[in-house]
Amino acid sequence: MGYIEPAPITDKENPFESMMERFNIAAEKLGLDLETYEVLKSPAKQVIVSLPIVMDDGHKKVFEGYRVIHSNTLGPSKGGVRYDLDVNLDEVKALAAWMTWKCAVVDIPYGGAKGGIKCDPSVMSKGELERLTRAYTVKMYEVFGPDTDIPAPDMGTGPQEMAWIMDEYSKAQGKTVQAVVTGKPLVLGGSLGRVEATGRGVMVSTMEALRKMKIDPTAATVAVQGFGNVGSNAAKLLAQKGLKIIAISDHTGAFYNLDGIDLREASEYRATYKTLEGYTGGSKITNDELLELDVDVLVPAAKEDVINNKNADKIKAKLIVEGANGPTGAKADGILHKKGIVVVPDILANAGGVTVSYFEWVQNRLGYKWTRDRVNRRSDRIMKEAFERVFSVADKHNVSLRIASYMVAITKVADTYKLRGSF
Ligand code: GLU
């Protein structure tokens, strides 16, 4: 273990500070006492490991791995593991805290955590990724556990990585422990509906917001930034509800088609080429141009800080639904608010993923499998109830949905902390 300097974040906002700015506003509105404030803002545990891996060409390469447990007040900590070159301690800390607030907003019995490995999975072989994932799991034996800390997929990871984590953890336990990780392949105890769950929650939040805003969904246009698991599923499910998806993008660029993007064709293209580069189903624009399109709904479903104080005043969407974690920097909040743009924040909008992770964990512990219909029905209900809770707090206190979400979450964690004391 060692100390690693967080990567310098140039003109971008530091994600942890961005999270804290909102936390501070909500804490002040709630009149949170200083002691509870200090406890809630401090991550419970931060682990940094080095992972020496034998690469396919025989040389050894050392990767940095992280796991930050922000809180375990509500229950075992929960959160994904990200494989990305931009992974750094401050990002993982912010993402871990967002998991705490997210689980509290949707009222599931988990604390928050996040993990990450600084790597580029797109240039690694399957064997290299397996060795990396197993080495990470070995170093995290003491951290992970079905009653302590439960990883899941995030950017750059998916069911295969979760299968390796479950297998490696199970080896040490001498028995199969399915509930140590969620987002597993179906045959290993994964849940029906988990892959689409985050995108589905984004769709449900969008429909709820449009209803409140009295916008007819069948006349609404949408731009989706990011075409990974969250963006592609959100786009597909929104299109099924009659909304017209007029722009999509990935890291190589964006595509715009006023007649609507053929999502099946785009998904097939991406599955074949692993990228949207060269896609011809829309005219090519930049990611920045996509964000500034005159649409009803904008779904940022890629990375942090894409809407910031440089472009916030150029955003024309009426509604932003945050599929990604932290896509709007704190400095942009005020600008969007002033423009009357409604933002369904990440900790509410993308909570469908962790909600179905919770269902997966419950099913593993019950030894019983739910139907897709039951999973969808229950997660839709949780998302709608959470939206309603947040909306009424926003209304009552005259704050944005983001600050209201933090208020709901902080109240829940603070009340629990006060009742039980520290752990
Ligand atoms: N990585 C996802 C998120 O940011 C899912 C976490 C989980 O299912 O534990 O919400």
Side-chain angles (χ1 to χ4, degrees):
M1 289 192 203
Y3 177 76
I4 294 165
E5 276 297 330
I9 295 166
T10 50
D11 59 337
K12 295 225 154 207
E13 278 193 53
N14 174 309
F16 191 73
E17 284 167 15
S18 219
M19 185 282 297
M20 280 307 298
E21 273 190 47
R22 280 77 171 249
F23 176 81
N24 288 343
I25 297 171
E28 205 176 302
K29 289 252 174 228
L30 290 167
L32 194 70
D33 63 276
L34 199 60
E35 181 202 308
T36 314
Y37 172 85
E38 288 294 332
V39 172
L40 263 54
K41 77 167 213 200
S42 316
K45 190 189 275 190
Q46 306 179 52
V47 184
I48 304 176
V49 291
S50 69
L51 306 164
I53 305 301
V54 182
M55 304 304 277
D56 288 350
D57 65 5
H59 90 282
K60 247 196 190 149
K61 190 168 170 189
V62 183
F63 294 87
E64 297 157 10
Y66 304 83
R67 186 76 179 166
V68 172
I69 294 181
H70 175 259
S71 167
N72 47 20
T73 298
L74 298 185
S77 53
K78 187 83 190 81
V81 179
R82 174 172 292 199
Y83 288 2
D84 189 76
L85 276 177
D86 289 341
V87 163
N88 63 74
L89 185 59
D90 264 1
E91 183 189 62
V92 180
K93 271 167 67 182
L95 290 162
W98 279 322
M99 287 308 303
T100 301
W101 313 134
K102 196 184 297 189
C103 294
V105 166
V106 286
D107 200 15
I108 58 176
Y110 286 143
K114 202 75 168 200
I117 302 178
K118 193 179 174 67
C119 67
D120 181 358
S122 71
V123 298
M124 293 173 72
S125 71
K126 190 169 178 188
E128 289 168 344
L129 287 169
E130 175 168 0
R131 292 192 289 280
L132 183 64
T133 307
R134 288 188 185 276
Y136 178 69
T137 310
V138 169
K139 292 262 169 102
M140 296 294 170
Y141 273 151
E142 306 296 321
V143 178
F144 293 163
D147 293 308
T148 47
D149 179 46
I150 308 145
D154 196 76
M155 192 187 293
T157 61
Q160 177 62 79
E161 286 74 18
M162 302 308 114
W164 290 325
I165 292 176
M166 187 198 85
D167 187 68
E168 197 58 46
Y169 183 84
S170 296
K171 266 187 208 162
Q173 299 288 315
K175 62 182 178 196
T176 298
V177 186
Q178 287 184 329
V180 69
V181 59
T182 61
K184 297 180 291 293
L186 271 183
V187 286
L188 297 182
S191 176
L192 286 163
R194 175 63 187 86
V195 173
E196 312 82 17
T198 312
R200 189 175 175 89
V202 168
M203 178 274 285
V204 172
S205 312
T206 307
M207 298 304 284
E208 291 302 290
L210 290 176
R211 193 167 55 80
K212 297 279 187 199
M213 295 165 75
K214 302 195 172 34
I215 295 176
D216 173 8
T218 61
T221 53
V222 188
V224 180
Q225 194 228 6
F227 208 62
N229 174 276
V230 180
S232 62
N233 280 301
K236 195 176 82 191
L237 291 161
L238 285 168
Q240 279 172 14
K241 292 282 177 195
L243 290 88
K244 200 200 281 177
I245 316 297
I246 62 164
I248 57 169
S249 77
D250 70 3
H251 66 284
T252 65
F255 300 87
Y256 171 69
N257 186 343
L258 206 49
D259 295 330
I261 299 277
D262 182 337
L263 294 167
R264 187 191 296 260
E265 190 188 78
S267 293
E268 278 165 12
Y269 189 93
R270 191 180 172 276
T272 311
Y273 300 105
K274 309 269 173 272
T275 163
L276 287 175
E277 198 166 18
Y279 176 65
T280 53
S283 43
K284 182 107 193 253
I285 56 172
T286 64
N287 262 289
D288 286 343
E289 285 167 335
L290 177 145
L291 294 170
E292 294 164 18
L293 284 176
D294 189 1
V295 283
D296 295 296
V297 187
L298 173 64
V299 179
K303 293 184 82 168
E304 296 100 82
D305 206 33
V306 295
I307 301 171
N308 45 49
N309 57 359
K310 292 213 177 89
N311 64 358
D313 62 336
K314 296 188 212 128
I315 305 286
K316 296 177 199 74
K318 298 185 182 76
L319 170 67
I320 298 175
V321 185
E322 297 184 336
N325 291 308
T328 308
K331 306 217 172 357
D333 278 353
I335 305 172
L336 298 176
H337 196 65
K338 233 181 249 153
K339 284 172 68 104
I341 299 174
V342 176
V343 181
V344 186
D346 45 8
I347 57 173
L348 170 61
N350 71 38
V354 74
T355 300
V356 177
S357 274
Y358 168 54
F359 295 164
E360 180 173 330
W361 180 82
V362 167
Q363 291 171 75
N364 291 158
R365 309 197 103 190
L366 284 173
Y368 184 72
K369 227 171 168 51
W370 295 359
T371 60
R372 185 184 298 276
D373 198 43
R374 173 178 284 197
V375 170
N376 288 346
R377 235 181 318 122
R378 293 190 177 193
S379 64
D380 289 359
R381 190 180 69 214
I382 285 183
M383 290 303 295
K384 283 181 194 165
E385 284 173 1
F387 188 95
E388 212 44 60
R389 244 190 323 275
V390 167
F391 192 88
S392 64
V393 169
D395 204 31
K396 185 167 159 205
H397 295 271
N398 193 24
V399 293
S400 66
L401 293 177
R402 187 184 314 280
I403 296 305
S405 298
Y406 276 78
M407 288 169 76
V408 168
I410 292 171
T411 304
K412 167 112 205 216
V413 181
D415 287 353
T416 310
Y417 166 74
K418 282 179 199 152
L419 279 169
R420 68 176 282 182
S422 66
F423 167 52

